[in-house]
Amino acid sequence: MQRRDFIRGFGVSSVALGAAFGGIGTAHARTEYKWKLVTTWPTNFPGLGTGASRLAALIGEMSGGRIEIQVHGAGDLVPTYGVFDAVARGDAEMGHGSAYYWKAKSPATQFFSSVPFGMPAQKMNAWLYFGGGLELWTELYGRFGLIPAPAGNSGVQMGGWFNREIKSVKDLKGLKMRIPGLGGEVLARAGGIPVNLPGSDLFAALQNGLIDATEWVGPYNDLAFGLYKVARYYYYPGWHEPGTVMEAILNKAAYEALPTDLQSIIMNACKVVNQEMLAEYTARNPVALQTLIAKHEVTLRRFPHDVIVRLRALTDEVLTGLARKDELSARIYASYRKFQTQSQDWDEISDLADRLARDPA
Amino acid sequence: MQRRDFIRGFGVSSVALGAAFGGIGTAHARTEYKWKLVTTWPTNFPGLGTGASRLAALIGEMSGGRIEIQVHGAGDLVPTYGVFDAVARGDAEMGHGSAYYWKAKSPATQFFSSVPFGMPAQKMNAWLYFGGGLELWTELYGRFGLIPAPAGNSGVQMGGWFNREIKSVKDLKGLKMRIPGLGGEVLARAGGIPVNLPGSDLFAALQNGLIDATEWVGPYNDLAFGLYKVARYYYYPGWHEPGTVMEAILNKAAYEALPTDLQSIIMNACKVVNQEMLAEYTARNPVALQTLIAKHEVTLRRFPHDVIVRLRALTDEVLTGLARKDELSARIYASYRKFQTQSQDWDEISDLADRLARDPA
């Protein structure tokens, strides 16, 4: 997924959610800090934009209004891709987006969104909070005067919408697909043509044949976007994004100027949103999927085995190349890889075995 | 798992973690509320007891010391199984445990810990937070003057330790196994003899042949307990507890007397611990499993297919019976079942398909 310019598809508005909580519920409430939060999403975009608003609201609520955070949707104060720089400069104290949007700053940022054939949400949280991942991320963003925090997860995404069947690796050759980041690099190595298009253009681009396929997020978001009207096949699994982490970014100086109770409130609000967003997608995707199939007669297809095997091999090449780019990228890749490998045996006998035990066969 | 009397295996101490945060970090901090938190775990029991302490610490930290929570480990102020009543009476404002400990109060409590062949952690969170589960739980506990909140998850547990191989359903006949709750009821229907023993007695009971098998938690906790010394086979999957929810319980009157900012801090601290504990188990179980296998030469075994099929069928009987006990149990079962069923198609093409795509075959 990559939501740049999706803005155009939604009304862009700035919502002062924090303000709604100022003065409520505690006798000694007073606004001590007025902060701006800039996001890469429109404020009302389901799951993601609402996640950023929820974050601001929670901070207002827990602080009894001592921090009031005004949320600015994508393109309001700054362009979507200006969020990182705006928070680094201090034009806004806080941001919400996803780390792979900043790969031009450092390719290593991509490890903190989602890695093709990488770790899903629960393992990402384990790596970030208890496996050294967040320390590495903090080191990386510290170079830009920023502090990162996981603040949302989409869960496993879908493989995307295709106007034709993918029967073998050969069908990827020349395939024009809108797919950003590492997934796009992998597709290019498979002979495909990754295209980067604004979300608002996807519908028209598929309809007029400019592209053959596009990925977006998952049933809950894809249904709202109406892509089933212009592409027949809906592919799984979302090999390119098995559990995309959303981030909060904080201006380091602004954060460090806060008393520690407010610092704690902010960091813990991020943790709450991190869990809630995943729970929301986990609850809403199944319902949306049923609507897509029963009402809109979408044709579900699994990527053929040889396609998955090929994409996985190419992913290894892309990741190895990424790890060679600089010293910190190498360390992050090593940490990520070690954690993923280490958890495989346990995963096999716990989550996978448990899941298969529920199958009625 | 069921940890009653595990106390004896650990030093029982009461730790005033909240106090450590009083007065730190904010100029206007002052203790406004002194609360007691009683837990069903020893305060230093890894993952669980430390989760309860973490909850108290977080509340102290985010409130800038306005609430100071003193944690009392199992058996300190009240016995392990006295936690529910103590909080209902107001002897303590808050508790930490797991809902199936209170099945004598209402059999429906068991749906809020873990259900055999039921939903794992991520889906439980989705059901609780976005599928109506927490509303039902709140209704149930409201009858006792309590408010519940999810506050931890063990992830998928292990099937347990056995002194002999389980080759078919026949081997369950006469098997004396320490296994509590719904899992125990299912084993009894399969001809086994569920035994309820204090955790501290498990080692000796296995050693002297009083029991043939026991379940406990998972590698991280089981390794610490040393059960590998007295039972050769370590079975998976933990069909009886696929993702056990820990709970915080609040005295309703005490909670409602708080200003809304402190209420929000408490509820959000529960959410943070809910996520962190799962992440901790997800990170630490793989490492402990490797130690068990490589260092202690534990023999891992998967339950045979016919055993799983039989236990699953018996689980349906037990759950159907449970749902008939009263009107609220019936509604909770219906909600749980509907949510689980509804998410199956999505699970198949997202988490399961994604997981299988990572297999190198």
Side-chain angles (χ1 to χ4, degrees):
Chain A
M1 103 195 142
Q2 192 182 51
R3 288 166 197 80
R4 130 164 98 170
D5 301 322
F6 195 68
I7 317 145
R8 292 180 222 160
F10 282 76
V12 177
S13 61
S14 69
V15 178
L17 269 164
F21 292 88
I24 290 179
T26 163
H28 41 254
R30 61 182 186 282
T31 303
E32 298 169 24
Y33 300 89
K34 290 203 178 202
W35 273 24
K36 295 188 188 78
L37 187 158
V38 289
T39 82
T40 59
W41 340 108
T43 46
N44 57 349
F45 188 72
L48 304 167
T50 54
S53 299
R54 170 82 174 145
L55 183 55
L58 274 179
I59 294 167
E61 202 179 291
M62 285 197 278
S63 72
R66 285 166 60 207
I67 315 188
E68 182 185 307
I69 299 185
Q70 193 163 34
V71 178
H72 296 273
D76 180 4
L77 274 191
V78 293
T80 301
Y81 283 178
V83 163
F84 189 94
D85 283 334
V87 181
R89 280 193 310 266
D91 293 349
E93 291 80 4
M94 199 164 174
H96 191 265
S98 193
Y100 58 3
Y101 292 160
W102 326 121
K103 70 175 186 176
K105 300 288 179 188
S106 163
T109 59
Q110 298 174 99
F111 285 110
F112 303 107
S113 285
S114 198
V115 170
F117 300 99
M119 295 191 276
Q122 187 176 322
K123 285 197 185 58
M124 274 303 283
N125 286 338
W127 177 59
L128 289 169
Y129 294 127
F130 290 90
L134 187 51
E135 282 89 337
L136 289 164
W137 194 1
T138 302
E139 181 182 344
L140 174 61
Y141 275 30
R143 298 178 178 184
F144 303 94
L146 294 169
I147 300 172
N153 200 300
S154 68
V156 178
Q157 299 203 2
M158 282 294 285
W161 300 88
F162 293 73
N163 66 8
R164 57 170 114 135
E165 281 194 272
I166 302 299
K167 291 179 184 160
S168 78
V169 175
K170 277 181 287 182
D171 294 325
L172 298 177
K173 295 240 186 293
L175 183 85
K176 283 175 286 178
M177 178 171 183
R178 185 268 186 197
I179 177 172
L182 293 169
E185 289 184 42
V186 172
L187 180 69
R189 284 184 191 232
I193 304 162
V195 178
N196 210 352
L197 276 177
S200 55
D201 293 353
L202 295 183
F203 190 96
L206 263 175
Q207 196 170 39
N208 65 26
L210 185 67
I211 55 175
D212 308 306
T214 185
E215 63 80 59
W216 190 235
V217 186
Y220 177 48
N221 284 157
D222 293 8
L223 172 64
F225 207 59
L227 291 169
Y228 58 87
K229 295 175 192 161
V230 285
R232 180 162 165 200
Y233 301 101
Y234 198 23
Y235 270 89
Y236 68 92
W239 58 275
H240 62 304
E241 296 195 33
T244 307
V245 178
M246 311 306 150
E247 68 178 6
I249 49 181
L250 292 145
N251 179 281
K252 202 161 183 282
Y255 178 79
E256 288 174 352
L258 295 176
T260 57
D261 57 341
L262 294 184
Q263 288 180 345
S264 176
I265 282 174
I266 288 174
M267 283 307 182
N268 285 297
C270 292
K271 288 184 176 177
V272 170
V273 171
N274 195 50
Q275 173 176 258
E276 279 187 353
M277 193 188 292
L278 178 63
E280 184 175 10
Y281 276 111
T282 305
R284 299 199 170 147
N285 274 330
V287 182
L289 180 69
Q290 284 171 358
T291 304
L292 283 169
I293 293 171
K295 189 172 164 196
H296 301 301
E297 298 175 346
V298 160
T299 304
L300 266 187
R301 283 279 188 278
R302 183 196 285 260
F303 286 117
H305 185 64
D306 77 306
V307 169
I308 289 294
V309 169
R310 182 79 185 124
L311 293 172
R312 204 168 51 212
L314 295 171
T315 293
D316 283 342
E317 292 180 20
V318 168
L319 293 180
T320 311
L322 177 53
R324 277 199 216 98
K325 295 205 173 169
D326 57 73
E327 183 273 339
L328 185 52
S329 295
R331 264 195 292 137
I332 295 170
Y333 176 69
S335 170
Y336 185 99
R337 193 67 148 194
K338 185 185 168 198
F339 195 88
Q340 186 178 15
T341 305
Q342 181 173 268
S343 69
Q344 269 164 4
D345 287 347
W346 169 241
D347 180 72
E348 189 88 17
I349 70 167
S350 61
D351 289 272
L352 181 60
D354 165 70
R355 173 60 186 77
L356 296 175
R358 285 199 300 280
D359 277 337
Chain B
M1 107 195 140
Q2 191 182 49
R3 288 166 197 81
R4 129 164 98 168
D5 301 321
F6 195 67
I7 317 143
R8 291 181 225 159
F10 283 77
V12 177
S13 60
S14 68
V15 178
L17 269 163
F21 293 89
I24 291 180
T26 162
H28 41 257
R30 63 183 184 282
T31 304
E32 298 170 24
Y33 301 89
K34 289 203 179 202
W35 274 25
K36 295 187 188 76
L37 187 158
V38 288
T39 81
T40 59
W41 340 108
T43 46
N44 57 349
F45 188 73
L48 304 166
T50 53
S53 300
R54 170 83 174 143
L55 183 55
L58 273 178
I59 294 167
E61 202 180 291
M62 285 197 279
S63 72
R66 286 166 59 207
I67 314 188
E68 182 185 307
I69 299 184
Q70 193 163 33
V71 178
H72 296 273
D76 180 2
L77 275 190
V78 294
T80 302
Y81 282 178
V83 163
F84 189 94
D85 283 334
V87 181
R89 279 193 310 266
D91 293 350
E93 291 79 5
M94 199 164 175
H96 191 264
S98 193
Y100 59 2
Y101 293 160
W102 326 121
K103 70 175 185 175
K105 301 288 179 189
S106 164
T109 57
Q110 297 172 100
F111 285 110
F112 303 107
S113 285
S114 197
V115 170
F117 300 100
M119 295 190 276
Q122 187 175 320
K123 285 196 185 58
M124 275 303 283
N125 286 339
W127 177 58
L128 290 169
Y129 295 126
F130 290 91
L134 187 51
E135 282 89 337
L136 290 165
W137 194 2
T138 303
E139 182 182 343
L140 174 62
Y141 275 30
R143 297 178 180 185
F144 303 92
L146 295 169
I147 300 171
N153 199 301
S154 68
V156 179
Q157 300 204 2
M158 281 294 285
W161 300 87
F162 293 73
N163 66 8
R164 56 171 114 136
E165 281 194 271
I166 302 299
K167 291 178 182 161
S168 78
V169 175
K170 278 182 284 181
D171 294 325
L172 298 177
K173 295 239 186 293
L175 183 85
K176 283 174 288 178
M177 179 172 182
R178 185 269 185 196
I179 176 172
L182 292 169
E185 289 185 42
V186 172
L187 180 69
R189 285 185 190 232
I193 305 163
V195 178
N196 209 352
L197 277 178
S200 56
D201 294 354
L202 295 184
F203 190 95
L206 264 176
Q207 196 169 37
N208 63 27
L210 185 67
I211 54 175
D212 309 307
T214 186
E215 64 81 57
W216 191 234
V217 186
Y220 177 48
N221 284 159
D222 293 9
L223 172 65
F225 208 57
L227 291 169
Y228 58 87
K229 293 174 193 162
V230 286
R232 180 163 166 199
Y233 302 101
Y234 198 24
Y235 270 89
Y236 69 91
W239 58 275
H240 62 304
E241 298 195 32
T244 307
V245 178
M246 312 307 150
E247 66 178 7
I249 49 181
L250 292 145
N251 178 281
K252 201 162 184 280
Y255 178 79
E256 288 175 351
L258 295 176
T260 56
D261 58 340
L262 294 184
Q263 289 179 345
S264 175
I265 282 173
I266 288 174
M267 284 307 184
N268 285 296
C270 291
K271 288 183 177 177
V272 169
V273 172
N274 195 51
Q275 173 175 259
E276 280 187 353
M277 193 187 292
L278 178 63
E280 184 175 9
Y281 276 111
T282 305
R284 298 203 169 145
N285 274 330
V287 181
L289 180 70
Q290 284 170 357
T291 304
L292 283 169
I293 293 171
K295 188 170 164 199
H296 302 300
E297 298 176 345
V298 160
T299 305
L300 266 186
R301 283 279 187 279
R302 184 196 285 259
F303 286 117
H305 185 63
D306 77 307
V307 169
I308 288 294
V309 169
R310 182 78 184 125
L311 293 172
R312 203 167 52 211
L314 294 172
T315 293
D316 284 342
E317 293 180 20
V318 168
L319 293 180
T320 310
L322 177 54
R324 278 197 216 100
K325 295 204 173 170
D326 57 71
E327 184 272 339
L328 185 51
S329 294
R331 264 195 291 137
I332 294 170
Y333 176 68
S335 170
Y336 185 99
R337 194 66 149 196
K338 184 185 169 199
F339 195 90
Q340 187 178 14
T341 305
Q342 181 173 269
S343 68
Q344 268 163 6
D345 286 348
W346 168 241
D347 180 71
E348 189 88 18
I349 69 168
S350 60
D351 290 272
L352 181 60
D354 165 70
R355 173 60 185 78
L356 297 176
R358 285 198 298 280
D359 276 337

